[in-house]
Every structure is written in structure tokens, then in C-alpha cells.
Amino acid sequence: MQVHITAADRRAGVMRSGVKPTANPSVMICMDPPRYGFTGLPSAEHIKAFRVLVSVFAVADTRRRETYCKGACGHAWHNLSAATEQP
């Protein structure tokens, strides 16, 4: 909820996810207001729901980084150092 997903983010995220726009998770996230309750979907839909949600949140987070957080961001998760391999 903190990423403040817009209707445009939802549509772009569904398109990016590779899940059909007519699939239950796609329809649910694109409703106005979005319908959350993905855990109530049949287990066969859970992977689709995960793909849709991750894609939508990625789109929304990118938008927020480029607008609200651009330049002087204090969010620690926007300033993570590159992962280093541990033996």
C-alpha cells in the first residue's frame, strides 16, 4: 500500500507480468478499487498472482523512485549496495 499504486501502474504491471489480462489475478488488481484476496484464489492461480503482484509493485516502485524519491531519497531499500558473493 505504501507504494501508492495507480491505475496506470496496475495496467502496466499486468502487461509486464506475462499473465493474460483476463486471468483472475490480473482482473482483481485492475479493479477500481483493486480487489485484494489473492490467497483465496485456487492454488493453480497463486503463481499468476505472484507474477502480477511483483510486476505491479516493480512498476509502481520505479515510478516513485523517478518522481517522489528522485535526488534525495531516505529510503534504505532504494540505496542498497550491490550484493557481494560470500564463500
Side-chain angles (χ1 to χ4, degrees):
M1 298 304 288
Q2 292 179 356
V3 75
H4 305 285
I5 298 168
T6 66
D9 295 337
R10 295 190 301 256
R11 288 189 302 272
V14 167
M15 297 311 292
R16 179 179 173 173
S17 73
V19 175
K20 291 181 181 179
T22 56
N24 286 333
S26 300
V27 171
M28 290 169 66
I29 198 73
C30 287
M31 293 175 83
D32 191 23
R35 180 171 171 229
Y36 303 106
F38 299 101
T39 57
L41 290 170
S43 60
E45 298 279 313
H46 289 175
I47 292 174
K48 292 177 190 174
F50 180 78
R51 289 176 59 184
V52 166
L53 288 172
V54 169
S55 295
V56 169
F57 290 129
V59 168
D61 186 62
T62 299
R63 176 187 48 79
R64 298 264 301 172
R65 283 183 190 214
E66 293 171 353
T67 56
Y68 179 77
C69 294
K70 190 170 187 172
C73 179
H75 297 122
W77 58 89
H78 286 171
N79 300 299
L80 297 175
S81 61
T84 57
E85 191 172 320
Q86 298 285 328

